[in-house]
Amino acid sequence: MKFGETFMEYLQAEEGLDKFSPHVEYKRLKKVLKSCRACRAAALKESNSNGEQQEDHENEGSEICQLESCQLCDQNFFAELKKEASDIAGCFSSRVRRLLQLHTAPGIQKYLVTLRQCFKNDQPAIMQECQILIEYAMMNAIAMQKILKKYDKVHCSVTGRNFKSKMRSERLEILQSPWLIELGALYMNFNESNGGKSNVIFSQFSCNLSDTGSIMTLKFPDSVKLEYDLTCPICLDTVFNPYALRCGHLFCKSCACTAASVMIFQGIKAASNVSKCPVCREVGTYANAVHMLELDLLQKKRFKQYWKERHASERAEMVKQSKIYWDNQTRYAVGF
């Protein structure tokens, strides 16, 4: 079965579950490429000027544009695809955020969730939503990849490939989202709570953590495999109490705070708006940083001794910084 048919079946099933969300308009974008009259006119003009091409080549030229870039295609195709990618990334992050709050809710919300679980078991619903989100990310990522490959084939160019790189730099590539790492960690946390037995819902999906905890591997159907490096670029150790900056890079909380020149007890949110990512040097990436609670919980379960040592070390450093900070504030207040 062709991917277009598979994707349409997936969309119909999603509509039946009342989970319909923004998606790649795969069928319509293919029509944009096929109906590009400017491309066909340019191809026919070039084939007529050569005069040596055979009839079958002329038919092929009507479908394949000899231009590396087409104004009509670019205007209708890339603008629409970028909007769809932005909507998909926003929808995915918001749905994952709501899902994770049911498992790692902070403060009073955690108490209310625990109280609710005394009367209703939400685990099957959470697992089902997790599966839906993983499939949603995978299907739309494949659809985007195939339509961009189709664009390059039609136009004999690498513009589609360059557009994909641009989306990655603008954090619209859904497979590079830190929320997908959180979903993988959520899957393994539920797997741990079930005694290591995989849930039936995840029969076509698996997630593993390396022995050192520095690599997370997500395996999807059709032999699709993704690896995420969980090494902090600053301390070069496995991330502890991890945060993902807006640019997507992962850091330990203490390392990220040190790089932003803020105290650990103040937190990443206290970073200045002009603070730069230590890796890509992008400004303002500390705003809306994602606290990877599921990943931290997974490390706490899998690597208990390592987690205790790092926790004690971070706490000692936080107490030390707090003491220095308040000593300085006291001296400033009394005038010394």
Side-chain angles (χ1 to χ4, degrees):
M1 183 183 294
K2 293 183 178 179
F3 175 77
E5 297 174 357
T6 304
F7 191 63
M8 291 306 296
E9 287 184 0
Y10 161 74
L11 293 179
Q12 291 172 1
E14 194 178 43
E15 285 180 336
L17 292 171
D18 292 329
K19 295 287 185 180
F20 196 71
S21 302
H23 62 276
V24 177
E25 295 286 351
Y26 184 78
K27 192 172 182 180
R28 185 159 59 84
L29 289 173
K30 283 186 70 175
K31 288 182 179 179
V32 171
L33 295 178
K34 289 181 179 179
S35 62
C36 180
R37 297 178 181 178
C39 294
R40 293 184 178 183
L44 288 173
K45 183 178 179 181
E46 183 165 339
S47 64
N48 291 332
S49 63
N50 289 336
E52 297 178 357
Q53 296 181 341
Q54 299 177 356
E55 184 178 352
D56 58 340
H57 280 218
E58 292 177 359
N59 294 333
E60 183 180 356
S62 64
E63 297 180 356
I64 301 179
C65 174
Q66 304 301 319
L67 301 175
E68 290 191 0
S69 179
C70 168
Q71 185 177 1
L72 183 60
C73 271
D74 293 354
Q75 183 178 3
N76 294 286
F77 182 84
F78 288 117
E80 181 66 24
L81 188 59
K82 185 175 181 180
K83 181 180 181 301
E84 291 170 2
S86 179
D87 292 342
I88 290 168
C91 175
F92 179 73
S93 62
S94 63
R95 287 178 63 179
V96 174
R97 193 182 292 110
R98 287 196 299 269
L99 176 65
L100 295 178
Q101 284 178 349
L102 296 175
H103 191 236
T104 55
I108 189 65
Q109 292 182 1
K110 183 176 182 179
Y111 171 76
L112 294 175
V113 170
T114 304
L115 183 63
R116 178 182 174 180
Q117 289 177 348
C118 295
F119 303 95
K120 181 180 179 181
N121 184 14
D122 290 328
Q123 181 170 336
I126 293 175
M127 295 290 279
Q128 184 179 14
E129 178 67 8
C130 185
Q131 168 66 11
I132 290 172
L133 288 172
I134 290 171
E135 189 176 13
Y136 174 73
M138 198 63 209
M139 292 299 291
N140 281 283
I142 293 175
M144 201 165 297
Q145 180 181 357
K146 285 189 175 293
I147 199 66
L148 287 172
K149 188 176 180 180
K150 179 73 173 177
Y151 179 94
D152 284 345
K153 182 179 179 181
V154 170
H155 293 83
C156 301
S157 72
V158 294
T159 309
R161 196 185 313 164
N162 295 337
F163 181 77
K164 186 177 180 180
S165 300
K166 184 180 179 181
M167 285 199 305
R168 187 178 293 112
S169 66
E170 295 182 8
R171 297 168 295 280
L172 297 178
E173 177 61 64
I174 195 169
L175 295 183
Q176 301 299 321
S177 172
W179 293 113
L180 192 57
I181 299 177
E182 280 287 83
L183 279 182
L186 175 65
Y187 159 76
M188 284 190 283
N189 284 327
F190 271 120
N191 200 24
E192 293 275 341
S193 63
N194 291 334
K197 297 179 181 179
S198 298
N199 195 288
V200 177
I201 295 175
F202 292 94
S203 58
Q204 293 185 324
F205 167 79
S206 64
C207 183
N208 297 300
L209 201 63
S210 63
D211 294 336
T212 59
S214 59
I215 299 292
M216 177 182 281
T217 305
L218 274 67
K219 294 181 180 179
F220 300 91
D222 300 326
S223 301
V224 178
K225 180 179 176 181
L226 298 174
E227 289 188 349
Y228 298 94
D229 188 0
L230 303 182
T231 302
C232 176
I234 296 178
C235 65
L236 302 180
D237 203 348
T238 304
V239 288
F240 172 76
N241 197 2
Y243 274 81
L245 302 187
R246 194 177 64 183
C247 56
H249 293 113
L250 295 179
F251 298 93
C252 305
K253 179 183 177 181
S254 57
C255 294
C257 289
T258 302
S261 301
V262 297
M263 305 287 185
I264 299 177
F265 73 91
Q266 291 176 317
I268 286 180
K269 292 184 178 180
S272 169
N273 292 332
V274 296
S275 297
K276 299 179 181 179
C277 170
V279 176
C280 63
R281 309 304 296 168
E282 183 178 342
V283 178
T285 56
Y286 280 80
N288 301 320
V290 178
H291 191 187
M292 313 287 281
L293 293 172
E294 288 291 342
L295 182 58
D296 186 50
L297 181 61
L298 177 63
Q299 291 175 334
K300 186 178 181 179
K301 291 180 178 179
R302 286 283 186 93
F303 311 102
K304 295 180 180 179
Q305 187 61 33
Y306 169 79
W307 193 91
K308 287 181 179 179
E309 292 175 357
R310 289 294 301 267
H311 179 70
S313 175
E314 184 182 277
R315 185 173 180 82
E317 182 64 24
M318 185 169 61
V319 171
K320 178 182 177 182
Q321 290 183 3
S322 179
K323 184 177 183 302
I324 295 173
Y325 175 81
W326 288 112
D327 284 346
N328 292 335
Q329 292 295 314
T330 302
R331 292 193 184 97
Y332 177 78
V334 299
F336 285 102

Short mmCIF file of all heavy atoms in Angstrom, two decimals, residues 132-167:
data_model
loop_
_atom_site.label_atom_id
_atom_site.label_comp_id
_atom_site.label_asym_id
_atom_site.label_seq_id
_atom_site.Cartn_x
_atom_site.Cartn_y
_atom_site.Cartn_z
N ILE A 132 -1.26 7.44 20.79
CA ILE A 132 -1.84 8.31 19.75
C ILE A 132 -0.87 9.42 19.39
O ILE A 132 -0.68 9.75 18.22
CB ILE A 132 -3.19 8.88 20.23
CG1 ILE A 132 -4.25 7.77 20.28
CG2 ILE A 132 -3.66 10.00 19.32
CD1 ILE A 132 -5.55 8.19 20.92
N LEU A 133 -0.24 10.01 20.40
CA LEU A 133 0.69 11.12 20.16
C LEU A 133 1.95 10.65 19.44
O LEU A 133 2.47 11.36 18.57
CB LEU A 133 1.05 11.79 21.48
CG LEU A 133 -0.06 12.64 22.12
CD1 LEU A 133 0.33 13.08 23.52
CD2 LEU A 133 -0.36 13.85 21.25
N ILE A 134 2.45 9.49 19.81
CA ILE A 134 3.63 8.95 19.13
C ILE A 134 3.33 8.68 17.66
O ILE A 134 4.12 9.02 16.77
CB ILE A 134 4.12 7.67 19.84
CG1 ILE A 134 4.71 8.02 21.21
CG2 ILE A 134 5.15 6.92 19.00
CD1 ILE A 134 5.01 6.81 22.07
N GLU A 135 2.16 8.08 17.41
CA GLU A 135 1.76 7.82 16.02
C GLU A 135 1.52 9.11 15.26
O GLU A 135 1.86 9.23 14.08
CB GLU A 135 0.50 6.95 16.01
CG GLU A 135 0.13 6.43 14.63
CD GLU A 135 -1.07 5.50 14.66
OE1 GLU A 135 -1.76 5.46 15.70
OE2 GLU A 135 -1.31 4.83 13.65
N TYR A 136 0.95 10.11 15.94
CA TYR A 136 0.70 11.41 15.32
C TYR A 136 2.01 12.06 14.88
O TYR A 136 2.12 12.59 13.76
CB TYR A 136 -0.02 12.30 16.35
CG TYR A 136 -0.23 13.73 15.92
CD1 TYR A 136 -1.18 14.07 14.97
CD2 TYR A 136 0.51 14.77 16.49
CE1 TYR A 136 -1.38 15.38 14.58
CE2 TYR A 136 0.31 16.08 16.13
CZ TYR A 136 -0.64 16.39 15.17
OH TYR A 136 -0.84 17.69 14.80
N ALA A 137 3.01 12.03 15.75
CA ALA A 137 4.32 12.60 15.42
C ALA A 137 4.97 11.86 14.26
O ALA A 137 5.50 12.48 13.32
CB ALA A 137 5.23 12.59 16.65
N MET A 138 4.91 10.54 14.31
CA MET A 138 5.59 9.73 13.30
C MET A 138 4.95 9.88 11.93
O MET A 138 5.63 10.07 10.92
CB MET A 138 5.58 8.26 13.73
CG MET A 138 6.59 7.42 13.02
SD MET A 138 8.26 7.97 13.40
CE MET A 138 9.08 7.48 11.89
N MET A 139 3.63 9.79 11.85
CA MET A 139 2.93 9.85 10.56
C MET A 139 3.12 11.21 9.89
O MET A 139 3.37 11.29 8.68
CB MET A 139 1.45 9.56 10.75
CG MET A 139 1.14 8.13 11.16
SD MET A 139 1.66 6.90 9.95
CE MET A 139 0.53 7.24 8.61
N ASN A 140 3.03 12.28 10.65
CA ASN A 140 3.20 13.61 10.06
C ASN A 140 4.64 13.88 9.67
O ASN A 140 4.90 14.56 8.67
CB ASN A 140 2.72 14.69 11.04
CG ASN A 140 1.20 14.82 11.06
OD1 ASN A 140 0.61 15.42 10.16
ND2 ASN A 140 0.58 14.26 12.07
N ALA A 141 5.59 13.34 10.43
CA ALA A 141 7.00 13.51 10.07
C ALA A 141 7.32 12.78 8.77
O ALA A 141 8.02 13.31 7.90
CB ALA A 141 7.89 12.99 11.20
N ILE A 142 6.78 11.57 8.61
CA ILE A 142 7.00 10.81 7.37
C ILE A 142 6.33 11.51 6.20
O ILE A 142 6.89 11.60 5.11
CB ILE A 142 6.46 9.37 7.53
CG1 ILE A 142 7.29 8.61 8.55
CG2 ILE A 142 6.49 8.65 6.19
CD1 ILE A 142 6.76 7.21 8.85
N ALA A 143 5.10 12.02 6.41
CA ALA A 143 4.39 12.72 5.34
C ALA A 143 5.17 13.94 4.88
O ALA A 143 5.29 14.21 3.67
CB ALA A 143 3.00 13.14 5.82
N MET A 144 5.75 14.69 5.83
CA MET A 144 6.52 15.87 5.47
C MET A 144 7.79 15.50 4.72
O MET A 144 8.18 16.14 3.75
CB MET A 144 6.85 16.66 6.75
CG MET A 144 7.20 18.11 6.50
SD MET A 144 7.14 19.08 8.02
CE MET A 144 5.41 18.94 8.46
N GLN A 145 8.42 14.43 5.18
CA GLN A 145 9.65 13.97 4.53
C GLN A 145 9.38 13.53 3.10
O GLN A 145 10.13 13.87 2.18
CB GLN A 145 10.25 12.82 5.34
CG GLN A 145 11.53 12.26 4.75
CD GLN A 145 12.08 11.11 5.57
OE1 GLN A 145 11.53 10.76 6.61
NE2 GLN A 145 13.14 10.50 5.11
N LYS A 146 8.28 12.81 2.87
CA LYS A 146 7.97 12.30 1.54
C LYS A 146 7.55 13.41 0.59
O LYS A 146 7.90 13.40 -0.59
CB LYS A 146 6.88 11.23 1.65
CG LYS A 146 7.39 9.90 2.19
CD LYS A 146 6.35 8.82 2.07
CE LYS A 146 6.92 7.47 2.50
NZ LYS A 146 7.97 6.98 1.57
N ILE A 147 6.79 14.39 1.08
CA ILE A 147 6.34 15.46 0.19
C ILE A 147 7.51 16.36 -0.20
O ILE A 147 7.57 16.87 -1.32
CB ILE A 147 5.19 16.28 0.83
CG1 ILE A 147 4.42 17.05 -0.25
CG2 ILE A 147 5.70 17.22 1.90
CD1 ILE A 147 3.68 16.20 -1.21
N LEU A 148 8.48 16.55 0.69
CA LEU A 148 9.67 17.33 0.36
C LEU A 148 10.55 16.56 -0.63
O LEU A 148 11.16 17.16 -1.53
CB LEU A 148 10.45 17.67 1.62
CG LEU A 148 9.82 18.73 2.53
CD1 LEU A 148 10.59 18.85 3.84
CD2 LEU A 148 9.76 20.09 1.84
N LYS A 149 10.60 15.25 -0.46
CA LYS A 149 11.35 14.43 -1.41
C LYS A 149 10.69 14.48 -2.78
O LYS A 149 11.37 14.51 -3.82
CB LYS A 149 11.41 13.00 -0.89
CG LYS A 149 12.32 12.08 -1.68
CD LYS A 149 12.41 10.71 -1.04
CE LYS A 149 13.33 9.79 -1.83
NZ LYS A 149 13.40 8.43 -1.19
N LYS A 150 9.36 14.50 -2.80
CA LYS A 150 8.62 14.61 -4.06
C LYS A 150 8.90 15.94 -4.73
O LYS A 150 9.05 16.02 -5.96
CB LYS A 150 7.12 14.48 -3.75
CG LYS A 150 6.21 14.59 -4.97
CD LYS A 150 6.29 13.35 -5.84
CE LYS A 150 5.26 13.40 -6.96
NZ LYS A 150 5.37 12.25 -7.86
N TYR A 151 8.99 17.02 -3.94
CA TYR A 151 9.30 18.34 -4.51
C TYR A 151 10.67 18.32 -5.19
O TYR A 151 10.82 18.81 -6.31
CB TYR A 151 9.28 19.39 -3.40
CG TYR A 151 9.62 20.78 -3.88
CD1 TYR A 151 8.61 21.67 -4.25
CD2 TYR A 151 10.94 21.22 -4.01
CE1 TYR A 151 8.91 22.94 -4.70
CE2 TYR A 151 11.24 22.48 -4.47
CZ TYR A 151 10.22 23.34 -4.82
OH TYR A 151 10.53 24.60 -5.28
N ASP A 152 11.67 17.75 -4.52
CA ASP A 152 13.01 17.70 -5.11
C ASP A 152 13.03 16.83 -6.37
O ASP A 152 13.75 17.13 -7.33
CB ASP A 152 14.00 17.14 -4.09
CG ASP A 152 14.37 18.17 -3.02
OD1 ASP A 152 14.08 19.36 -3.24
OD2 ASP A 152 14.94 17.78 -1.99
N LYS A 153 12.21 15.78 -6.39
CA LYS A 153 12.16 14.92 -7.57
C LYS A 153 11.52 15.65 -8.75
O LYS A 153 12.00 15.55 -9.89
CB LYS A 153 11.39 13.65 -7.24
CG LYS A 153 11.31 12.66 -8.38
CD LYS A 153 10.55 11.40 -7.96
CE LYS A 153 10.45 10.41 -9.12
NZ LYS A 153 9.69 9.19 -8.72
N VAL A 154 10.43 16.37 -8.48
CA VAL A 154 9.74 17.10 -9.54
C VAL A 154 10.60 18.21 -10.10
O VAL A 154 10.63 18.46 -11.30
CB VAL A 154 8.40 17.65 -9.01
CG1 VAL A 154 7.77 18.61 -10.00
CG2 VAL A 154 7.44 16.50 -8.73
N HIS A 155 11.33 18.92 -9.23
CA HIS A 155 12.09 20.09 -9.65
C HIS A 155 13.58 19.81 -9.87
O HIS A 155 14.34 20.74 -10.17
CB HIS A 155 11.94 21.21 -8.63
CG HIS A 155 10.56 21.77 -8.55
ND1 HIS A 155 9.56 21.18 -7.79
CD2 HIS A 155 9.99 22.86 -9.13
CE1 HIS A 155 8.45 21.88 -7.91
NE2 HIS A 155 8.67 22.90 -8.72
N CYS A 156 13.99 18.55 -9.66
CA CYS A 156 15.41 18.20 -9.84
C CYS A 156 16.30 19.14 -9.02
O CYS A 156 17.25 19.72 -9.54
CB CYS A 156 15.81 18.25 -11.31
SG CYS A 156 14.86 17.16 -12.37
N SER A 157 15.97 19.31 -7.75
CA SER A 157 16.69 20.26 -6.90
C SER A 157 16.91 19.68 -5.52
O SER A 157 16.53 18.54 -5.23
CB SER A 157 15.89 21.56 -6.78
OG SER A 157 14.75 21.37 -5.96
N VAL A 158 17.54 20.47 -4.66
CA VAL A 158 17.71 20.11 -3.24
C VAL A 158 17.00 21.13 -2.36
O VAL A 158 17.27 21.24 -1.17
CB VAL A 158 19.21 20.04 -2.87
CG1 VAL A 158 19.88 18.90 -3.60
CG2 VAL A 158 19.91 21.37 -3.17
N THR A 159 16.07 21.89 -2.94
CA THR A 159 15.35 22.92 -2.20
C THR A 159 14.53 22.32 -1.06
O THR A 159 14.46 22.88 0.03
CB THR A 159 14.43 23.72 -3.13
OG1 THR A 159 15.18 24.16 -4.27
CG2 THR A 159 13.85 24.92 -2.42
N GLY A 160 13.91 21.16 -1.31
CA GLY A 160 13.13 20.50 -0.27
C GLY A 160 13.99 20.07 0.89
O GLY A 160 13.61 20.21 2.05
N ARG A 161 15.18 19.56 0.58
CA ARG A 161 16.11 19.16 1.63
C ARG A 161 16.57 20.36 2.44
O ARG A 161 16.68 20.29 3.67
CB ARG A 161 17.31 18.45 1.00
CG ARG A 161 18.16 17.66 1.99
CD ARG A 161 19.39 17.11 1.31
NE ARG A 161 19.07 16.48 0.04
CZ ARG A 161 19.98 16.20 -0.88
NH1 ARG A 161 21.25 16.51 -0.67
NH2 ARG A 161 19.62 15.61 -2.01
N ASN A 162 16.82 21.47 1.77
CA ASN A 162 17.23 22.68 2.46
C ASN A 162 16.10 23.24 3.34
O ASN A 162 16.35 23.76 4.42
CB ASN A 162 17.66 23.75 1.45
CG ASN A 162 18.91 23.35 0.69
OD1 ASN A 162 19.69 22.53 1.16
ND2 ASN A 162 19.10 23.91 -0.48
N PHE A 163 14.87 23.09 2.85
CA PHE A 163 13.72 23.55 3.63
C PHE A 163 13.57 22.72 4.91
O PHE A 163 13.23 23.27 5.97
CB PHE A 163 12.44 23.45 2.79
CG PHE A 163 11.21 23.91 3.51
CD1 PHE A 163 10.93 25.26 3.67
CD2 PHE A 163 10.31 22.99 4.04
CE1 PHE A 163 9.79 25.68 4.33
CE2 PHE A 163 9.18 23.40 4.70
CZ PHE A 163 8.91 24.76 4.85
N LYS A 164 13.85 21.43 4.82
CA LYS A 164 13.79 20.58 6.00
C LYS A 164 14.83 21.01 7.03
O LYS A 164 14.55 21.04 8.24
CB LYS A 164 14.01 19.12 5.60
CG LYS A 164 13.83 18.14 6.74
CD LYS A 164 13.99 16.71 6.27
CE LYS A 164 13.78 15.74 7.44
NZ LYS A 164 13.94 14.34 7.01
N SER A 165 16.03 21.36 6.56
CA SER A 165 17.07 21.86 7.47
C SER A 165 16.65 23.17 8.11
O SER A 165 16.92 23.42 9.30
CB SER A 165 18.39 22.04 6.72
OG SER A 165 18.82 20.82 6.16
N LYS A 166 15.97 24.01 7.34
CA LYS A 166 15.48 25.28 7.87
C LYS A 166 14.43 25.05 8.94
O LYS A 166 14.43 25.74 9.97
CB LYS A 166 14.90 26.12 6.72
CG LYS A 166 14.43 27.51 7.15
CD LYS A 166 13.87 28.27 5.97
CE LYS A 166 13.38 29.65 6.41
NZ LYS A 166 12.79 30.41 5.27
N MET A 167 13.55 24.10 8.73
CA MET A 167 12.54 23.78 9.74
C MET A 167 13.19 23.28 11.03
O MET A 167 12.75 23.59 12.13
CB MET A 167 11.57 22.73 9.22
CG MET A 167 10.57 23.25 8.22
SD MET A 167 9.16 22.13 8.06
CE MET A 167 9.99 20.60 7.66
#
